[in-house]
Amino acid sequence: MARALVNVPKEARQGEIVEIRAMIAHPMETGYRVGTNGTKIPRDIIRRFACTYNGEEVFRADLHPAVSANPFFAFTLVALASGTIEFTWTDDAGRTQTASAVITVS
């Protein structure tokens, strides 16, 4: 299972543009490498990453094997209301994980 490091401002003013950052610790195995026993290591990459702000999707990325291990995402959004920013990612095996952070808007 991968883990995420997310960076979301704790507070913002209404209408302020804030930067959101996330890094997912994941090996991103391409499926092209050969293991010590001579067989191919199965592909295991994060296929989709999405971010929602109070339930509305604000960012999405579809990833491919050329993405490095531990992918890093940075994007901005307009802080409209206090709420939850949720990060969701899905890998090749269909496993879905989430992380979240709360932002207070005044």
Side-chain angles (χ1 to χ4, degrees):
M1 298 297 264
R3 66 181 179 90
L5 300 171
V6 298
N7 186 328
V8 174
K10 292 188 183 300
E11 297 179 352
R13 291 187 197 162
Q14 188 171 20
E16 182 179 358
I17 297 173
V18 296
E19 184 176 37
I20 308 298
R21 290 180 261 166
M23 185 188 80
I24 302 170
H26 192 280
M28 300 292 278
E29 187 58 59
T30 64
Y32 297 122
R33 292 186 328 134
V34 177
T36 56
N37 60 1
T39 61
K40 280 190 175 181
I41 299 171
R43 187 173 103 164
D44 184 19
I45 67 169
I46 295 172
R47 299 290 304 220
R48 176 165 291 167
F49 174 83
C51 177
T52 60
Y53 176 32
N54 286 337
E56 183 179 338
E57 187 172 271
V58 293
F59 181 84
R60 171 185 283 186
D62 291 322
L63 306 178
H64 302 280
V67 173
S68 68
N70 305 323
F72 175 77
F73 303 93
F75 55 94
T76 58
L77 60 83
V78 178
L80 298 175
S82 297
T84 302
I85 298 175
E86 186 169 270
F87 305 87
T88 305
W89 59 96
T90 305
D91 66 12
D92 273 338
R95 293 181 298 250
T96 299
Q97 291 182 262
T98 62
S100 63
V102 175
I103 186 169
T104 302
V105 177
S106 56

